[in-house]
Amino acid sequence: MAFRRRNKSYPFFSQEFLIQNHADIVFSLVIFILIGLMFEATAKTAILFIQPQYNVTTLLPDGEVTLYHYGWKDCATILFYFFIAIILHAVVQEYLLDKVNRRLHLSKSKNTKFNESGQLCVFHLVSSVWSFYILITEGYLLHPSSLWENYPHVHLRFQVKFFYLTQLAYWLHALPELYFQKVRKEEISRQLQYICLYLLHIAAAYLLNLSRVGLVLFFLQYVSELGFHIARLLYFTDENHQKMFDLWAVSFVFTRMATLTLMFLAVGFGLARAENQGLDLEMGNFNTVLIRMTVLLLVCLTQSWLLWKFIRFQLRRWREFRHEQAVRKKAAAKQPLRPLKRDSLGHHENGVLKAENGASPRTKKLKSP
């Protein structure tokens, strides 16, 4: 299974060989793990990588339900889906984005941003739909108080835990992709910033048992980012497409306000009024004043930083727009006026030939032969 066209062969274990064939190498590792399921001696080890662990069967009014909690074995599951994310990344790049790039003929800087937005557009679309489905099926949207009631939310349903594991796997895979995709040095620091922020927030929500609040926040964030990357893709195809950025600006501001409101409501007021105050690692309870203030401070700083970047982005767009308007006015002012069409007898006015003094010239009488 080859993901990229090979125009040149490189020595084994060289840097170019690893970059060109990294998806094939990872695909071989995934096949090796799946083959382990076929043998009884290795099936128990292989299942650690594929299926989420730490399941507990609980008797509820609806019947027996299998719930999950987190542990160190989740690292094996995250590693497996880390490999899956690398393979899917290569598939999207090879069979979708590269074909579009050949038609657009973008520069190197725009090509890097186009690939970044293309990959994130697919991921944000899948993640926003998936998180919204979980919020609907779990009933968190219809009952907002369930976001902080009965804390700590140690036991998770399969779809909730699997969502968090795949989110961690995806953003971890984004780190080596900076090397595999040969991202420019100017772009690495910017991409590292939001990758580390996503990993920090997802891990905090998962480990601090704030999975319900995290689901709502990730849904809002992914919908907002989806709008931005769609707008940027449309801009690269045609620079006249600017209206999508205006729609994204509205959704961005709404997302920031909704995020801050929800965090203060759930963590600042909901958990502060809960009865089980204190730190209990065995029970998974992190409901202390220090941890609550740290979480709120982290979210507030992140939202403030995003708003600062948003304001800078809008100011840059406004300056570019004003510059383009000034250039157009100067170009229009320098255009010379078109002279009137004249001939030897005079000039044409309203379809009639006029002499220089304004009178109509006399027509010459032709002699008869």
Side-chain angles (χ1 to χ4, degrees):
M1 183 176 182
F3 290 99
R4 292 186 177 274
R5 296 179 178 87
R6 286 152 177 77
N7 299 324
K8 183 179 179 181
S9 59
Y10 297 96
F12 285 100
F13 305 111
S14 65
Q15 181 180 1
E16 292 297 330
F17 177 84
L18 180 62
I19 293 175
Q20 191 181 55
N21 301 279
H22 72 276
D24 295 327
I25 297 172
V26 170
F27 183 76
S28 301
L29 294 176
V30 172
I31 294 298
F32 179 77
I33 294 174
L34 293 176
I35 291 175
L37 294 174
M38 302 173 61
F39 304 96
E40 184 177 357
T42 57
K44 292 183 179 180
T45 304
I47 204 68
L48 292 175
F49 293 89
I50 301 172
Q51 182 179 344
Q53 303 300 308
Y54 303 104
N55 56 319
V56 178
T57 303
T58 306
L59 184 62
L60 296 178
D62 299 336
E64 290 187 355
V65 178
T66 301
L67 301 176
Y68 296 82
H69 60 91
Y70 63 79
W72 66 270
K73 293 182 181 179
D74 291 339
C75 297
T77 310
I78 293 173
L79 178 63
F80 178 78
Y81 290 100
F82 168 86
F83 294 153
I84 296 296
I86 293 178
I87 296 172
L88 294 178
H89 188 112
V91 170
V92 173
Q93 185 68 41
E94 174 67 21
Y95 296 103
L96 181 61
L97 298 179
D98 286 349
K99 292 183 178 180
V100 178
N101 282 331
R102 296 188 191 101
R103 297 183 179 181
L104 295 178
H105 304 288
L106 300 173
S107 62
K108 289 184 178 180
S109 59
K110 289 185 177 181
N111 188 26
T112 301
K113 293 181 180 180
F114 182 87
N115 291 334
E116 176 193 4
S117 291
Q119 294 286 348
L120 291 177
C121 189
V122 175
F123 170 74
H124 289 319
L125 177 61
V126 174
S127 297
S128 58
V129 173
W130 190 3
S131 58
F132 182 72
Y133 173 78
I134 295 175
L135 292 174
I136 294 297
T137 54
E138 296 294 331
Y140 298 152
L141 292 181
L142 299 178
H143 305 283
S145 59
S146 62
L147 299 177
W148 60 83
E149 288 181 349
N150 300 323
Y151 180 84
H153 307 135
V154 178
H155 296 96
L156 310 174
R157 292 185 182 270
F158 173 82
Q159 59 180 355
V160 178
K161 178 169 182 173
F162 190 62
F163 175 82
Y164 274 93
L165 294 181
T166 52
Q167 293 294 309
L168 290 170
Y170 180 86
W171 290 112
L172 284 173
H173 112 280
L175 295 174
E177 285 294 342
L178 297 177
Y179 171 75
F180 294 143
Q181 298 298 323
K182 296 182 179 180
V183 178
R184 299 171 59 193
K185 293 182 179 180
E186 298 81 3
E187 295 290 328
I188 290 179
S189 60
R190 180 184 62 83
Q191 295 191 28
L192 276 176
Q193 288 176 357
Y194 70 76
I195 290 172
C196 293
L197 281 175
Y198 273 114
L199 286 173
L200 178 61
H201 285 75
I202 295 171
Y206 184 62
L207 297 177
L208 297 178
N209 295 315
L210 296 172
S211 56
R212 299 182 181 182
V213 180
L215 277 171
V216 181
L217 298 182
F218 295 143
F219 168 72
L220 295 173
Q221 176 66 18
Y222 288 152
V223 171
S224 175
E225 289 297 302
L226 177 63
F228 170 75
H229 290 292
I230 290 177
R232 195 157 74 162
L233 289 176
L234 293 177
Y235 174 78
F236 287 140
T237 56
D238 186 0
E239 294 186 356
N240 294 324
H241 288 292
Q242 298 281 348
K243 294 183 179 180
M244 278 297 297
F245 283 109
D246 298 332
L247 295 176
W248 164 74
V250 176
S251 67
F252 181 88
V253 176
F254 172 78
T255 301
R256 305 284 77 79
M257 298 299 104
T259 299
L260 292 174
T261 303
L262 181 62
M263 284 302 298
F264 277 100
L265 180 64
V267 178
F269 294 97
L271 294 182
R273 297 180 179 181
E275 297 180 356
N276 51 347
Q277 301 284 334
L279 179 64
D280 190 349
L281 297 179
E282 294 183 358
M283 297 297 297
N285 185 12
F286 300 93
N287 191 9
T288 63
V289 177
L290 178 60
I291 294 178
R292 290 199 305 269
M293 295 302 295
T294 303
V295 171
L296 288 175
L297 181 62
L298 173 64
V299 174
C300 290
L301 290 176
T302 303
Q303 302 307 310
S304 301
W305 180 72
L306 291 174
L307 281 172
W308 177 67
K309 289 188 62 179
F310 172 77
I311 293 172
R312 289 183 59 191
F313 175 77
Q314 294 298 329
L315 289 176
R316 185 172 68 250
R317 283 188 62 207
W318 180 74
R319 285 194 297 264
E320 292 175 355
F321 177 76
R322 291 293 300 271
H323 179 70
E324 292 178 359
Q325 292 294 326
V327 171
R328 290 178 182 177
K329 288 181 180 180
K330 290 181 180 180
K334 290 181 179 180
Q335 289 182 355
L337 297 175
R338 293 183 179 179
L340 295 175
K341 183 179 180 181
R342 300 177 180 272
D343 52 18
S344 59
L345 297 177
H347 63 277
H348 291 275
E349 184 177 329
N350 296 329
V352 180
L353 183 64
K354 296 289 184 178
E356 292 298 330
N357 57 2
S360 299
R362 294 181 180 179
T363 57
K364 297 182 178 180
K365 293 183 179 181
L366 298 177
K367 297 181 179 180
S368 57

